[in-house]
Amino acid sequence: MSTATAAALGVAALFAVFTGFNDAGVLVGIGVGAPGLRPSGALALLTTAVLAAPLLVGTAVATTLDGRLVPPGAPGPASRAQILAGIGAAVAVTVLLAARRLPTSLTLALIGGIAGAGTGGGLVGGGGDAVNWAVVGGVLAAAAAAPLVGALVALVAARVVATLPPSSAERSGGAAGRLRRLHLGGFAAACVAYGANDGQKMLAVYAVLLGGGPDRYARSPAAPALIAACFMAGGLLGVRRLGGAGGGLVATRQDGVVVTELSSAGVVLGTAAVGAPVSMTQSMSGALIGAGLSRGARRVRWRKVLRLSQAWLLTLPAAFVAGGACAAAVVSLVS
């Protein structure tokens, strides 16, 4: 193994660790929001989905991040080093916002960082803007719609569930067991959705660093195993930050957690089918708000919702500017 390859593997592993640290706390927090799962079991299920989902549902999202936002054959294409600069900028923006206690999305930052790298690197290098803005626009539209659709689906689903008559098992005192089973199924669906969409950013970064398409690495046992192991290591650190289901956006109930899991999983799986990178945490936050609204607007802590929305709106432009600046610096150094 060459020194360059070893360095690329090391950076890919570190990115997977950071992703686990950043994402797992929120998702596992949802998983333990109802009886039936311990944090360790929830993290193991989530990691299994990260490992298996690319083989089960494909790598459309990883392909978008790796080669569709900034196509390799575009005029004045950004080099791998420039895209890596954009990835680094995305991580830096996520860390800085988190340090200021502003919850944000690493996936959203990654989209901004890669698009910024294609723009800054292409313009400084004299090749022009290398970004496919039609794809970027479609991705951003999906990212903006996902939490709104999640909220609407969860609102409707929660109201429908509330009107259903109790089953014979519930009348005889079996409601708790039925709810646990639904929760396990809902969380499993959410894990698969994460692996099919949000979790594929790790596979995309691996492909950027090592060269070759994401589909090639998804079918090789070494890459998914490394990604999953590093994701779990980061997740073990991230779950220490658990703050309960929903991050305080809504006073959650067990039935609301189940509705949130199923609604957000449906939305994220739908966007994965068309290759649109969408944040699972954003979709879950929207679904939590929708489930809370089904019990009245006062159930939602609107100040926290506003703060979360502000962080989301700040993430992409900040990552875009940082990615452009970093890529321009790379071009200047090598030219």
Side-chain angles (χ1 to χ4, degrees), residues 223-235:
L226 175 67
I227 289 170
C230 293
F231 177 83
M232 175 168 272

Side-chain angles (χ1 to χ4, degrees), residues 290-311:
L293 283 173
S294 70
R295 296 182 285 123
R298 292 184 178 181
R299 299 285 184 176
V300 181
R301 294 166 181 147
W302 293 108
R303 287 187 179 180
K304 291 195 174 185
V305 172
L306 178 61
R307 183 175 176 81
L308 182 63
S309 301
Q310 290 173 337

Side-chain angles (χ1 to χ4, degrees), residues 126-151:
D129 193 341
V131 179
N132 187 334
W133 289 108
V135 173
V136 172
V139 166
L140 294 183
L148 299 176
V149 175

Side-chain angles (χ1 to χ4, degrees), residues 265-292:
V267 171
V268 173
L269 283 171
T271 56
V274 296
V278 165
S279 169
M280 188 72 195
T281 55
Q282 285 183 289
S283 301
M284 276 192 159
S285 296
L288 276 167
I289 293 168

Side-chain angles (χ1 to χ4, degrees), residues 1 41 105 126 138 159 179 197 227 244 246-247 249 274 334:
M1 180 186 295
S105 163
R159 288 183 172 173
L179 193 59
N197 196 320
I227 289 170
L249 295 177
V274 296
V334 299

Side-chain angles (χ1 to χ4, degrees), residues 28-258:
V28 174
I30 294 289
V32 299
L37 271 180
R38 295 179 181 274
S40 57
L43 179 59
L45 186 57
L46 179 60
T47 303
T48 301
V50 168
L51 182 65
L55 288 174
L56 296 175
V57 300
T59 60
V61 172
T63 299
T64 296
L65 291 171
D66 174 56
R68 292 184 63 212
L69 298 179
V70 182
S79 69
R80 294 284 174 180
Q82 293 166 16
I83 298 300
L84 179 58
I87 294 168
V91 172
V93 167
T94 304
V95 171
L96 288 173
L97 290 176
R100 297 181 63 86
R101 298 187 180 278
L102 289 172
T104 188
S105 163
L106 178 57
T107 299
L108 197 61
L110 195 61
I111 294 168
I114 291 174
T119 300
L123 294 178
V124 172
D129 193 341
V131 179
N132 187 334
W133 289 108
V135 173
V136 172
V139 166
L140 294 183
L148 299 176
V149 175
L152 180 61
V153 171
L155 174 61
V156 173
R159 288 183 172 173
V160 169
V161 169
T163 62
L164 295 176
S167 65
S168 58
E170 291 173 322
R171 285 194 294 268
S172 61
R178 178 173 177 268
L179 193 59
R180 280 196 297 272
R181 290 190 294 273
L182 287 173
H183 167 52
L184 289 171
F187 183 69
C191 288
V192 172
Y194 176 84
N197 196 320
D198 206 0
Q200 289 199 14
K201 57 181 174 280
M202 294 175 286
L203 185 61
V205 169
Y206 190 102
V208 166
L209 292 167
L210 275 297
D215 188 63
R216 166 189 169 188
Y217 294 113
R219 299 180 185 282
S220 169
L226 175 67
I227 289 170
C230 293
F231 177 83
M232 175 168 272
L236 289 171
L237 298 173
V239 295
R240 297 178 182 179
R241 305 181 300 159
L242 286 178
L249 295 177
V250 179
T252 53
R253 301 192 318 185
Q254 293 182 17
D255 55 349
V257 170
V258 172

